[in-house]
Amino acid sequence: MISGDDNFLPKAPTFSDELVEECTKSGDFRPILFEWYKFVGLLCNTVACISPESPALRNIPPVHYAIFIGLLNRCSRLMLSNTCLSSTRKYGETTRLLDRSIYESAVKIQWLCYKNDDDSFLRYLADGLVKDLMFKRQIEENIEKRNGEILIIEQRMLNSIKECIELSGLSEQEITDAKKLPDFASMLKNLGFSDISYTAIQRMSSHAVHGTWSDLIFNYLRHDGSQRLSPRDHEIDTQDVQFITGIRFVLGAVKSFLNYVVSDVSEVSAFVSVIDSTNEKMIEIQRLAWASDFSVPT
C-alpha cells in the first residue's frame, strides 16, 4: 500500500490572515504562490520516490517506470532551481528558461499515460538515443580515419552512449526504425489543450530559449522611451503566471502518473485529494490575481 498519511505527504503551506489580506489588496499573490510552488515541487519528488516494488502498483515494464520517475524528478529538481532563483527576486529571465523544460517534462508524462502503449514509450526513448547514435557514428568515423586509434575522450563518450542504449533495453536497429516522437503541439492537442495554450506555453516561452528580439527587449535591454538601448541588470522578477502555470502542469503530471501506475486508485486517494485541492487553490488565486487583467478599460 502507498501511504497517504501525514508522515508521507509533505505538509501543505498555511498563511496568516494578514498575508492573505495584503496579497488580495495588492493583487500580488507571489508570496503565497512561492510557498505553494515549493510544496508542489516536494510533492512531485515524494511521488517520484515511490518504490516500483510497492504492491499497490500494477505491473509495468521497469524502463517505463524509470521514464516516469526520471521525468518527475526532473520537474522537481528544476522547480527547486526556480525556487532558489526566484527567492532573490531576481533572475526572472532565467526561471523562464527552466519553466519551458518543466512544462515539456510534465506534458510528456501526461501524454505517455494518455497513449498507454509500448510504441509511445519506444518513441520517447528513441527520440534522444537516435541523436546519440548519430554522434557515435561520427566518433567512429574519426577513429577510422586515424587507423583505429581511439582518444581517451572518444572512449569515454562511446562508453556513455553504450550505457544509455543498454539501459533503454533497445537495440540500435529498434532505435533507428522507431517512428518520430510527436511534437509538443501534437501532444497538447492529444491531451485536449486549446491551440492558444500551445502558443502561450511553447511559442511565447521560446523567446527565452532562443534569445529573440522580444526577449532582449523585455529582459536584457533597458530603454528610456527613446531609441537608446543599454544593457539591463538582473532585476527581473519571476511572475505569478510562472508559478501558477508550473504548479498546475506538474500537478497534472503527478495525478496522471499515479492513476496510471496504481492497480487500485483508492490507494492514492490521499494524494489525489491533495492534488485536486491544490489545483483548486491555484484557480482561485489566478481568478483573484488576474481579475483586473480581463476587465474592459473605461
Side-chain angles (χ1 to χ4, degrees), residues 131-166:
K131 301 175 182 67
D132 292 342
L133 285 181
M134 291 173 59
F135 190 36
K136 175 176 180 280
R137 285 191 284 271
Q138 291 172 350
I139 294 172
E140 290 173 339
E141 287 172 5
N142 287 335
I143 292 171
E144 187 176 349
K145 289 176 184 177
R146 294 194 301 270
N147 297 317
E149 184 180 82
I150 304 177
L151 303 179
I152 291 175
I153 188 173
E154 290 174 328
Q155 188 62 65
R156 187 165 64 244
M157 289 187 291
L158 288 173
N159 290 342
S160 177
I161 293 170
K162 180 183 177 183
E163 181 181 33
C164 285
I165 293 172
E166 288 180 348

Side-chain angles (χ1 to χ4, degrees), residues 94-131:
T94 308
T95 58
R96 286 185 176 89
L97 288 165
L98 297 178
D99 286 342
R100 174 158 160 165
S101 296
I102 293 169
Y103 302 157
E104 287 189 12
S105 296
V107 166
K108 282 176 180 175
I109 292 169
Q110 295 179 71
W111 182 79
L112 288 168
C113 293
Y114 167 80
K115 295 298 287 184
N116 188 24
D117 59 50
D118 291 342
D119 183 63
S120 296
F121 285 95
L122 173 100
R123 293 166 75 178
Y124 169 83
L125 290 165
D127 182 63
L129 292 174
V130 72
K131 301 175 182 67

Side-chain angles (χ1 to χ4, degrees), residues 42-229:
L42 182 55
L43 178 67
C44 183
N45 180 264
T46 301
V47 171
C49 292
I50 294 174
S51 171
E53 284 78 36
S54 170
L57 304 186
R58 66 186 183 88
N59 186 30
I60 66 172
V63 70
H64 293 186
Y65 196 81
I67 290 170
F68 281 132
I69 63 173
L71 287 170
L72 286 169
N73 193 34
R74 185 172 195 257
C75 288
S76 176
R77 286 176 55 183
L78 292 178
M79 290 180 82
L80 172 62
S81 297
N82 267 348
T83 299
C84 293
L85 290 167
S86 59
S87 67
T88 66
R89 303 300 296 265
K90 299 177 181 178
Y91 307 109
E93 74 289 338
T94 308
T95 58
R96 286 185 176 89
L97 288 165
L98 297 178
D99 286 342
R100 174 158 160 165
S101 296
I102 293 169
Y103 302 157
E104 287 189 12
S105 296
V107 166
K108 282 176 180 175
I109 292 169
Q110 295 179 71
W111 182 79
L112 288 168
C113 293
Y114 167 80
K115 295 298 287 184
N116 188 24
D117 59 50
D118 291 342
D119 183 63
S120 296
F121 285 95
L122 173 100
R123 293 166 75 178
Y124 169 83
L125 290 165
D127 182 63
L129 292 174
V130 72
K131 301 175 182 67
D132 292 342
L133 285 181
M134 291 173 59
F135 190 36
K136 175 176 180 280
R137 285 191 284 271
Q138 291 172 350
I139 294 172
E140 290 173 339
E141 287 172 5
N142 287 335
I143 292 171
E144 187 176 349
K145 289 176 184 177
R146 294 194 301 270
N147 297 317
E149 184 180 82
I150 304 177
L151 303 179
I152 291 175
I153 188 173
E154 290 174 328
Q155 188 62 65
R156 187 165 64 244
M157 289 187 291
L158 288 173
N159 290 342
S160 177
I161 293 170
K162 180 183 177 183
E163 181 181 33
C164 285
I165 293 172
E166 288 180 348
L167 289 172
S168 76
L170 301 178
S171 67
E172 292 191 11
Q173 193 62 52
E174 286 176 309
I175 295 168
T176 303
D177 293 343
K179 289 188 288 185
K180 188 177 180 182
L181 189 71
D183 59 24
F184 191 71
S186 298
M187 289 184 184
L188 285 174
K189 193 169 186 178
N190 285 159
L191 295 170
F193 286 88
S194 63
D195 290 340
I196 197 171
S197 296
Y198 171 72
T199 301
I201 295 163
Q202 194 71 355
R203 288 194 183 279
M204 296 308 291
S205 64
S206 70
H207 287 309
V209 174
H210 301 300
T212 64
W213 175 245
S214 298
D215 183 50
L216 299 185
I217 290 298
F218 286 118
N219 296 306
Y220 297 98
L221 291 171
R222 188 181 304 281
H223 49 98
D224 54 8
S226 67
Q227 291 297 309
R228 185 176 181 277
L229 301 171

